[in-house]
Structures are given as C-alpha cells and as structure tokens.
Amino acid sequence: MSEALVTFLKARLDDETELARRCDGDGCGRWSAHGDTVDFCEVEISGFPPAIALHLALHDPARVLREIEAKRRVLARHVLSPAVGDPELPWEDRDDCQFDGDPWPCGDLLDLASPYVDHPDFPRGA
Ligand SMILES: [Zn+2]
C-alpha cells in the first residue's frame, strides 16, 4: 500500500482543518453547552438533548484544530521505511515503520485511519 494511507490521512486532516477554520468565524471564543443550548459564539441554538449539546460543544473549532495538529505530529513520526531488497539483509525485506519497526502500515497509522473506514476514498488492502 506504500504511502496511500498516509496520503489519504493527510487529505482528511486537510479537509477537517478547512472545515474547522470555516466554523471558527472571527475567532470569538470557545463553543460551550448549557443544558439544551449550544453557544457557538456567533449564535446560540437551543432545543438539543443535553448530551447532544455537550457533544456539539466538544467540537469547538479550536479544540478540533489542536487535535488535528496532534494527529499530524503522529503522522510525521510514523514514516515508511521501504524494503531494500538486499538478500544479505533478510530483515530489511519488508516495508515497515521507521518509528516502531512494525510492518507497514503500522498499527498507529491504522488506528488514525479507522474513523474514516466509510470514506469513499479509503484505501483498501491495507
Ligand atoms: Zn508506526
């Protein structure tokens, strides 16, 4: 699968970054929930079941952007170390992760990708 999963993940993080920035408006502050109401800074909307209001507020754009940056740092650490194909080095005859040495794509990358399994561009055959 080489770098297909990494390319896919970077595209999803780019999409989410753009959406979070569009929702940030003028950077007025943090989204919060109060009972059935969510304060989106620019507007308050009521009538949500309280758990859903809390869930929506959890997706405050600034928090989402911090989470995306954390995922980008994980991606930057888990880099493909391609097989070298040298018969003298049989342990080097597979693609693996430079960070943890696990077969490529490593478990951390698969975990990062797992929320997107229903995306139409999700690379199959990982
Ligand atoms: Zn890894």
Side-chain angles (χ1 to χ4, degrees):
M1 135 168 302
S2 70
E3 300 271 14
L5 190 63
V6 172
T7 300
F8 171 80
L9 281 168
K10 287 180 177 176
R12 301 293 68 76
L13 296 177
D14 288 347
D15 290 347
E16 292 179 10
T17 297
E18 195 231 334
L19 182 58
R21 286 187 177 144
R22 285 175 38 209
C23 291
D24 193 28
D26 60 2
C28 62
R30 189 170 164 244
W31 292 5
S32 59
H34 313 281
D36 72 342
T37 302
V38 179
D39 179 354
F40 295 99
C41 298
E42 296 176 347
V43 64
E44 284 190 9
I45 300 176
S46 299
F48 296 105
I52 292 176
L54 288 168
H55 185 73
L56 289 169
L58 184 65
H59 292 277
D60 171 72
R63 192 203 62 78
V64 168
L65 290 170
R66 289 191 302 273
E67 183 177 328
I68 291 168
E69 288 311 309
K71 289 177 180 177
R72 289 187 195 281
R73 290 191 296 274
V74 172
L75 270 179
R77 285 193 298 271
H78 294 267
V79 177
L80 171 65
S81 177
V84 294
D86 183 345
E88 298 295 319
L89 303 171
W91 58 89
E92 293 286 346
D93 199 26
R94 70 170 196 206
D95 290 347
D96 57 18
C97 175
Q98 216 169 47
F99 182 74
D100 51 45
D102 290 344
W104 187 262
C106 69
D108 287 351
L109 289 181
L110 294 173
D111 285 344
L112 283 177
S114 65
Y116 306 104
V117 70
D118 292 334
H119 192 283
D121 297 335
F122 188 88
R124 304 290 167 198

PDB file of all heavy atoms in Angstrom, residues 18-42:
ATOM      1  N   GLU A  18      -9.822  22.702   7.134  1.00  0.00           N
ATOM      2  CA  GLU A  18     -10.536  23.745   6.397  1.00  0.00           C
ATOM      3  C   GLU A  18     -11.927  23.965   6.987  1.00  0.00           C
ATOM      4  O   GLU A  18     -12.355  25.102   7.186  1.00  0.00           O
ATOM      5  CB  GLU A  18     -10.621  23.367   4.920  1.00  0.00           C
ATOM      6  CG  GLU A  18     -11.025  24.545   4.057  1.00  0.00           C
ATOM      7  CD  GLU A  18     -12.190  24.235   3.132  1.00  0.00           C
ATOM      8  OE1 GLU A  18     -12.388  23.070   2.781  1.00  0.00           O
ATOM      9  OE2 GLU A  18     -12.917  25.179   2.801  1.00  0.00           O
ATOM     10  N   LEU A  19     -12.620  22.874   7.305  1.00  0.00           N
ATOM     11  CA  LEU A  19     -13.967  22.996   7.876  1.00  0.00           C
ATOM     12  C   LEU A  19     -13.924  23.668   9.254  1.00  0.00           C
ATOM     13  O   LEU A  19     -14.728  24.556   9.548  1.00  0.00           O
ATOM     14  CB  LEU A  19     -14.638  21.623   7.960  1.00  0.00           C
ATOM     15  CG  LEU A  19     -16.067  21.626   8.494  1.00  0.00           C
ATOM     16  CD1 LEU A  19     -16.975  22.511   7.638  1.00  0.00           C
ATOM     17  CD2 LEU A  19     -16.601  20.207   8.557  1.00  0.00           C
ATOM     18  N   ALA A  20     -12.985  23.251  10.093  1.00  0.00           N
ATOM     19  CA  ALA A  20     -12.878  23.863  11.434  1.00  0.00           C
ATOM     20  C   ALA A  20     -12.578  25.352  11.316  1.00  0.00           C
ATOM     21  O   ALA A  20     -13.137  26.163  12.064  1.00  0.00           O
ATOM     22  CB  ALA A  20     -11.804  23.158  12.249  1.00  0.00           C
ATOM     23  N   ARG A  21     -11.721  25.723  10.388  1.00  0.00           N
ATOM     24  CA  ARG A  21     -11.409  27.155  10.216  1.00  0.00           C
ATOM     25  C   ARG A  21     -12.630  27.926   9.725  1.00  0.00           C
ATOM     26  O   ARG A  21     -12.851  29.065  10.143  1.00  0.00           O
ATOM     27  CB  ARG A  21     -10.231  27.325   9.250  1.00  0.00           C
ATOM     28  CG  ARG A  21      -8.930  26.938   9.901  1.00  0.00           C
ATOM     29  CD  ARG A  21      -7.737  27.243   9.034  1.00  0.00           C
ATOM     30  NE  ARG A  21      -6.511  26.901   9.744  1.00  0.00           N
ATOM     31  CZ  ARG A  21      -5.436  26.408   9.182  1.00  0.00           C
ATOM     32  NH1 ARG A  21      -5.400  26.214   7.877  1.00  0.00           N
ATOM     33  NH2 ARG A  21      -4.385  26.115   9.920  1.00  0.00           N
ATOM     34  N   ARG A  22     -13.425  27.307   8.857  1.00  0.00           N
ATOM     35  CA  ARG A  22     -14.644  27.969   8.381  1.00  0.00           C
ATOM     36  C   ARG A  22     -15.645  28.157   9.517  1.00  0.00           C
ATOM     37  O   ARG A  22     -16.414  29.114   9.520  1.00  0.00           O
ATOM     38  CB  ARG A  22     -15.284  27.157   7.248  1.00  0.00           C
ATOM     39  CG  ARG A  22     -14.526  27.301   5.946  1.00  0.00           C
ATOM     40  CD  ARG A  22     -15.028  26.419   4.810  1.00  0.00           C
ATOM     41  NE  ARG A  22     -16.462  26.274   4.759  1.00  0.00           N
ATOM     42  CZ  ARG A  22     -17.088  25.203   4.270  1.00  0.00           C
ATOM     43  NH1 ARG A  22     -16.394  24.207   3.772  1.00  0.00           N
ATOM     44  NH2 ARG A  22     -18.395  25.132   4.257  1.00  0.00           N
ATOM     45  N   CYS A  23     -15.650  27.247  10.502  1.00  0.00           N
ATOM     46  CA  CYS A  23     -16.589  27.327  11.627  1.00  0.00           C
ATOM     47  C   CYS A  23     -16.091  28.247  12.728  1.00  0.00           C
ATOM     48  O   CYS A  23     -16.840  28.563  13.652  1.00  0.00           O
ATOM     49  CB  CYS A  23     -16.828  25.938  12.214  1.00  0.00           C
ATOM     50  SG  CYS A  23     -17.738  24.853  11.113  1.00  0.00           S
ATOM     51  N   ASP A  24     -14.855  28.657  12.656  1.00  0.00           N
ATOM     52  CA  ASP A  24     -14.271  29.474  13.719  1.00  0.00           C
ATOM     53  C   ASP A  24     -14.729  30.919  13.634  1.00  0.00           C
ATOM     54  O   ASP A  24     -14.555  31.684  14.577  1.00  0.00           O
ATOM     55  CB  ASP A  24     -12.740  29.402  13.663  1.00  0.00           C
ATOM     56  CG  ASP A  24     -12.094  29.965  14.907  1.00  0.00           C
ATOM     57  OD1 ASP A  24     -12.727  29.918  15.980  1.00  0.00           O
ATOM     58  OD2 ASP A  24     -10.971  30.465  14.804  1.00  0.00           O
ATOM     59  N   GLY A  25     -15.349  31.293  12.529  1.00  0.00           N
ATOM     60  CA  GLY A  25     -15.836  32.661  12.385  1.00  0.00           C
ATOM     61  C   GLY A  25     -14.726  33.658  12.609  1.00  0.00           C
ATOM     62  O   GLY A  25     -13.659  33.559  12.025  1.00  0.00           O
ATOM     63  N   ASP A  26     -14.970  34.585  13.514  1.00  0.00           N
ATOM     64  CA  ASP A  26     -13.964  35.609  13.788  1.00  0.00           C
ATOM     65  C   ASP A  26     -13.096  35.233  14.986  1.00  0.00           C
ATOM     66  O   ASP A  26     -12.459  36.088  15.582  1.00  0.00           O
ATOM     67  CB  ASP A  26     -14.619  36.969  14.000  1.00  0.00           C
ATOM     68  CG  ASP A  26     -15.598  36.960  15.165  1.00  0.00           C
ATOM     69  OD1 ASP A  26     -15.725  35.907  15.823  1.00  0.00           O
ATOM     70  OD2 ASP A  26     -16.221  37.993  15.414  1.00  0.00           O
ATOM     71  N   GLY A  27     -13.092  33.973  15.346  1.00  0.00           N
ATOM     72  CA  GLY A  27     -12.282  33.540  16.487  1.00  0.00           C
ATOM     73  C   GLY A  27     -12.798  34.113  17.796  1.00  0.00           C
ATOM     74  O   GLY A  27     -12.029  34.438  18.687  1.00  0.00           O
ATOM     75  N   CYS A  28     -14.124  34.198  17.911  1.00  0.00           N
ATOM     76  CA  CYS A  28     -14.739  34.895  19.046  1.00  0.00           C
ATOM     77  C   CYS A  28     -14.598  34.161  20.366  1.00  0.00           C
ATOM     78  O   CYS A  28     -14.769  34.759  21.420  1.00  0.00           O
ATOM     79  CB  CYS A  28     -16.212  35.151  18.763  1.00  0.00           C
ATOM     80  SG  CYS A  28     -17.167  33.643  18.554  1.00  0.00           S
ATOM     81  N   GLY A  29     -14.298  32.879  20.337  1.00  0.00           N
ATOM     82  CA  GLY A  29     -14.183  32.186  21.612  1.00  0.00           C
ATOM     83  C   GLY A  29     -14.490  30.714  21.490  1.00  0.00           C
ATOM     84  O   GLY A  29     -14.446  30.157  20.392  1.00  0.00           O
ATOM     85  N   ARG A  30     -14.804  30.132  22.606  1.00  0.00           N
ATOM     86  CA  ARG A  30     -14.966  28.689  22.700  1.00  0.00           C
ATOM     87  C   ARG A  30     -16.451  28.327  22.700  1.00  0.00           C
ATOM     88  O   ARG A  30     -17.245  28.973  23.373  1.00  0.00           O
ATOM     89  CB  ARG A  30     -14.324  28.260  24.022  1.00  0.00           C
ATOM     90  CG  ARG A  30     -14.203  26.805  24.196  1.00  0.00           C
ATOM     91  CD  ARG A  30     -13.331  26.494  25.431  1.00  0.00           C
ATOM     92  NE  ARG A  30     -13.535  25.124  25.810  1.00  0.00           N
ATOM     93  CZ  ARG A  30     -14.069  24.736  26.951  1.00  0.00           C
ATOM     94  NH1 ARG A  30     -14.372  25.601  27.866  1.00  0.00           N
ATOM     95  NH2 ARG A  30     -14.264  23.463  27.193  1.00  0.00           N
ATOM     96  N   TRP A  31     -16.783  27.268  21.958  1.00  0.00           N
ATOM     97  CA  TRP A  31     -18.146  26.762  21.972  1.00  0.00           C
ATOM     98  C   TRP A  31     -18.412  26.153  23.338  1.00  0.00           C
ATOM     99  O   TRP A  31     -17.524  25.515  23.937  1.00  0.00           O
ATOM    100  CB  TRP A  31     -18.338  25.690  20.913  1.00  0.00           C
ATOM    101  CG  TRP A  31     -18.280  26.174  19.491  1.00  0.00           C
ATOM    102  CD1 TRP A  31     -17.994  27.436  19.042  1.00  0.00           C
ATOM    103  CD2 TRP A  31     -18.498  25.387  18.331  1.00  0.00           C
ATOM    104  NE1 TRP A  31     -18.025  27.471  17.681  1.00  0.00           N
ATOM    105  CE2 TRP A  31     -18.336  26.239  17.208  1.00  0.00           C
ATOM    106  CE3 TRP A  31     -18.812  24.052  18.117  1.00  0.00           C
ATOM    107  CZ2 TRP A  31     -18.482  25.770  15.900  1.00  0.00           C
ATOM    108  CZ3 TRP A  31     -18.956  23.590  16.820  1.00  0.00           C
ATOM    109  CH2 TRP A  31     -18.798  24.443  15.724  1.00  0.00           C
ATOM    110  N   SER A  32     -19.646  26.311  23.826  1.00  0.00           N
ATOM    111  CA  SER A  32     -19.995  25.728  25.125  1.00  0.00           C
ATOM    112  C   SER A  32     -21.451  25.298  25.108  1.00  0.00           C
ATOM    113  O   SER A  32     -22.255  25.783  24.297  1.00  0.00           O
ATOM    114  CB  SER A  32     -19.729  26.735  26.250  1.00  0.00           C
ATOM    115  OG  SER A  32     -20.486  27.910  26.041  1.00  0.00           O
ATOM    116  N   ALA A  33     -21.793  24.398  26.012  1.00  0.00           N
ATOM    117  CA  ALA A  33     -23.162  23.893  26.137  1.00  0.00           C
ATOM    118  C   ALA A  33     -23.691  24.237  27.516  1.00  0.00           C
ATOM    119  O   ALA A  33     -22.960  24.183  28.505  1.00  0.00           O
ATOM    120  CB  ALA A  33     -23.172  22.382  25.929  1.00  0.00           C
ATOM    121  N   HIS A  34     -24.972  24.595  27.538  1.00  0.00           N
ATOM    122  CA  HIS A  34     -25.668  24.904  28.784  1.00  0.00           C
ATOM    123  C   HIS A  34     -27.049  24.278  28.663  1.00  0.00           C
ATOM    124  O   HIS A  34     -27.916  24.835  27.982  1.00  0.00           O
ATOM    125  CB  HIS A  34     -25.785  26.411  28.995  1.00  0.00           C
ATOM    126  CG  HIS A  34     -24.497  27.146  28.762  1.00  0.00           C
ATOM    127  ND1 HIS A  34     -23.489  27.178  29.696  1.00  0.00           N
ATOM    128  CD2 HIS A  34     -24.034  27.818  27.683  1.00  0.00           C
ATOM    129  CE1 HIS A  34     -22.466  27.864  29.199  1.00  0.00           C
ATOM    130  NE2 HIS A  34     -22.775  28.255  27.982  1.00  0.00           N
ATOM    131  N   GLY A  35     -27.202  23.107  29.277  1.00  0.00           N
ATOM    132  CA  GLY A  35     -28.484  22.405  29.166  1.00  0.00           C
ATOM    133  C   GLY A  35     -28.747  22.003  27.730  1.00  0.00           C
ATOM    134  O   GLY A  35     -27.939  21.290  27.131  1.00  0.00           O
ATOM    135  N   ASP A  36     -29.851  22.537  27.183  1.00  0.00           N
ATOM    136  CA  ASP A  36     -30.200  22.171  25.805  1.00  0.00           C
ATOM    137  C   ASP A  36     -29.683  23.182  24.783  1.00  0.00           C
ATOM    138  O   ASP A  36     -30.049  23.134  23.618  1.00  0.00           O
ATOM    139  CB  ASP A  36     -31.721  22.021  25.672  1.00  0.00           C
ATOM    140  CG  ASP A  36     -32.448  23.359  25.712  1.00  0.00           C
ATOM    141  OD1 ASP A  36     -31.865  24.366  26.165  1.00  0.00           O
ATOM    142  OD2 ASP A  36     -33.623  23.394  25.277  1.00  0.00           O
ATOM    143  N   THR A  37     -28.812  24.094  25.234  1.00  0.00           N
ATOM    144  CA  THR A  37     -28.351  25.184  24.372  1.00  0.00           C
ATOM    145  C   THR A  37     -26.851  25.068  24.106  1.00  0.00           C
ATOM    146  O   THR A  37     -26.074  24.780  25.015  1.00  0.00           O
ATOM    147  CB  THR A  37     -28.636  26.540  25.044  1.00  0.00           C
ATOM    148  OG1 THR A  37     -30.043  26.632  25.288  1.00  0.00           O
ATOM    149  CG2 THR A  37     -28.186  27.697  24.173  1.00  0.00           C
ATOM    150  N   VAL A  38     -26.492  25.316  22.855  1.00  0.00           N
ATOM    151  CA  VAL A  38     -25.078  25.389  22.491  1.00  0.00           C
ATOM    152  C   VAL A  38     -24.781  26.827  22.102  1.00  0.00           C
ATOM    153  O   VAL A  38     -25.471  27.410  21.263  1.00  0.00           O
ATOM    154  CB  VAL A  38     -24.727  24.442  21.316  1.00  0.00           C
ATOM    155  CG1 VAL A  38     -23.249  24.565  20.950  1.00  0.00           C
ATOM    156  CG2 VAL A  38     -25.073  23.007  21.670  1.00  0.00           C
ATOM    157  N   ASP A  39     -23.763  27.377  22.731  1.00  0.00           N
ATOM    158  CA  ASP A  39     -23.282  28.711  22.394  1.00  0.00           C
ATOM    159  C   ASP A  39     -22.133  28.540  21.403  1.00  0.00           C
ATOM    160  O   ASP A  39     -21.046  28.093  21.760  1.00  0.00           O
ATOM    161  CB  ASP A  39     -22.801  29.429  23.656  1.00  0.00           C
ATOM    162  CG  ASP A  39     -22.264  30.812  23.371  1.00  0.00           C
ATOM    163  OD1 ASP A  39     -22.153  31.195  22.178  1.00  0.00           O
ATOM    164  OD2 ASP A  39     -21.931  31.525  24.338  1.00  0.00           O
ATOM    165  N   PHE A  40     -22.423  28.875  20.144  1.00  0.00           N
ATOM    166  CA  PHE A  40     -21.423  28.756  19.084  1.00  0.00           C
ATOM    167  C   PHE A  40     -20.666  30.070  18.895  1.00  0.00           C
ATOM    168  O   PHE A  40     -20.113  30.331  17.836  1.00  0.00           O
ATOM    169  CB  PHE A  40     -22.099  28.380  17.759  1.00  0.00           C
ATOM    170  CG  PHE A  40     -22.740  27.021  17.755  1.00  0.00           C
ATOM    171  CD1 PHE A  40     -24.105  26.879  17.958  1.00  0.00           C
ATOM    172  CD2 PHE A  40     -21.979  25.874  17.557  1.00  0.00           C
ATOM    173  CE1 PHE A  40     -24.711  25.630  17.946  1.00  0.00           C
ATOM    174  CE2 PHE A  40     -22.569  24.619  17.538  1.00  0.00           C
ATOM    175  CZ  PHE A  40     -23.946  24.493  17.742  1.00  0.00           C
ATOM    176  N   CYS A  41     -20.671  30.889  19.917  1.00  0.00           N
ATOM    177  CA  CYS A  41     -20.025  32.215  19.920  1.00  0.00           C
ATOM    178  C   CYS A  41     -20.813  33.224  19.094  1.00  0.00           C
ATOM    179  O   CYS A  41     -21.210  34.247  19.608  1.00  0.00           O
ATOM    180  CB  CYS A  41     -18.580  32.181  19.451  1.00  0.00           C
ATOM    181  SG  CYS A  41     -17.534  31.196  20.489  1.00  0.00           S
ATOM    182  N   GLU A  42     -21.020  32.926  17.830  1.00  0.00           N
ATOM    183  CA  GLU A  42     -21.733  33.871  16.975  1.00  0.00           C
ATOM    184  C   GLU A  42     -23.234  33.733  17.092  1.00  0.00           C
ATOM    185  O   GLU A  42     -23.981  34.634  16.736  1.00  0.00           O
ATOM    186  CB  GLU A  42     -21.290  33.683  15.526  1.00  0.00           C
ATOM    187  CG  GLU A  42     -19.828  33.998  15.329  1.00  0.00           C
ATOM    188  CD  GLU A  42     -19.352  33.718  13.920  1.00  0.00           C
ATOM    189  OE1 GLU A  42     -20.072  33.059  13.156  1.00  0.00           O
ATOM    190  OE2 GLU A  42     -18.241  34.155  13.604  1.00  0.00           O
TER     191      GLU A  42
END
